[in-house]
Amino acid sequence: MSDEAGINALDIGVKSGSPGIIPCLYDKKHKENRKYWCEGSHWVSCSILRYTNETGKYSLTDYPAQSIFTVQWENLQTSDSGYYWCAVEIRGAPDDGYYLYLTVQSAPDVSVVSSSVSGREGDDISVQCLYSSQYKNKVKHWCKYKDQSCYTVRRTDTSQNPSVQISDDGRRSFTVLMTGLRLTDSGWYCCSVGDQQVPVQLTVTKPKRAFTTIPAAAPSDSETDIAMITDSKPETDIAETHPSPTAASETVNSEIHSCMDEQNKSDVFLVTCLITMFMLLLIVTLVAIVTWRLRKKPARGQIREGHFNSTRNTSSAAVDENSVIYSSVITFRKAPPSSLNSDSDVIYSSLKQTHKAVSSE
């Protein structure tokens, strides 16, 4: 730490009507003992409010691996301000604990933008601590609960520690910047201004690995030959002879996208050609059908007209009383009468029409 200032007495600012949480430290030899939260200005007469793993106005949770338990609440009022004790029950001996003072205000003199921050190992985090105007000339600290020591900064000073930098704007806030986080940085801290503190929990996690290591396969004989030939060539730029995996990946991706684009274009062209051919075939078929029907209609009309004319002539001939029709039929047989073959008969027919003279009366 840049300074050896420690947390001598805790006066924790709490906002009324809002949830909150504070840490309580204990010796690691008491990790199996029961912990409790006690209210009162004197140790011997304090009133036990809650044990660990009990629910109610306060909730206590024990973390034996960290030698710490937390006290959490949902809603405190200004009347809840007072002395409290973080205590450990010890059978056969006096209990162990220490006191703190909770100052419950609607607008606390010291507060933080966020009471819980997190980051990955190697990253940076920042915490903004706020204070009222009457505290602007007070000494500011960034303290870690576990080892009870603090980084200190005055109004215009900046911490020279490379991993922790504290800057005060001199008006209403100071900022803590922690760089190059380590897993051991996880834990409880507090923004301290004058005689008041506000707890902040920092959680540092391992970074997620974006790539997995793939074991390289043994080179084949052909690859060995190629490597030998390459080694015999003059030295060239490393970027030219050994492109980075990222560049190779980008090249492969661009070639894949190019092939996919060409395939898509080919598919679209083929579908367009098929649709066009189908439409042309449909049009040709319709034209052929229409043409065939138009050609059939005149022939039928001529047949009907000829039939009508022949019928009309026959009818007029039958009506004409002045015309006389003579008809004679002569049959010749090529074979004897006993033959039943009707194809051997030849029939001659003649038709003569004469007009009768009209008598005058």
Side-chain angles (χ1 to χ4, degrees), residues 85-96:
W85 296 80
C86 295
V88 178
E89 184 179 66
I90 303 175
R91 294 181 181 180
D95 293 347
D96 189 16

Side-chain angles (χ1 to χ4, degrees), residues 136-138 140 153-157 167-170:
K136 67 179 181 178
N137 294 324
K138 301 290 184 180
K140 285 80 178 179
V153 60
R154 294 190 177 274
R155 176 177 176 180
T156 58
D157 294 341
S167 58
D168 183 12
D169 65 5

Side-chain angles (χ1 to χ4, degrees), residues 274-286:
L274 289 175
I275 294 175
T276 304
M277 292 176 65
F278 175 76
M279 295 299 295
L280 289 175
L281 181 60
L282 182 62
I283 293 172
V284 171
T285 303
L286 292 175

Side-chain angles (χ1 to χ4, degrees), residues 321-347:
E321 296 178 354
N322 295 327
S323 301
V324 178
I325 301 172
Y326 298 93
S327 176
S328 62
V329 177
I330 302 174
T331 304
F332 295 96
R333 297 181 184 274
K334 296 180 181 180
S338 60
S339 176
L340 298 177
N341 187 1
S342 61
D343 293 336
S344 61
D345 296 338
V346 178
I347 301 174

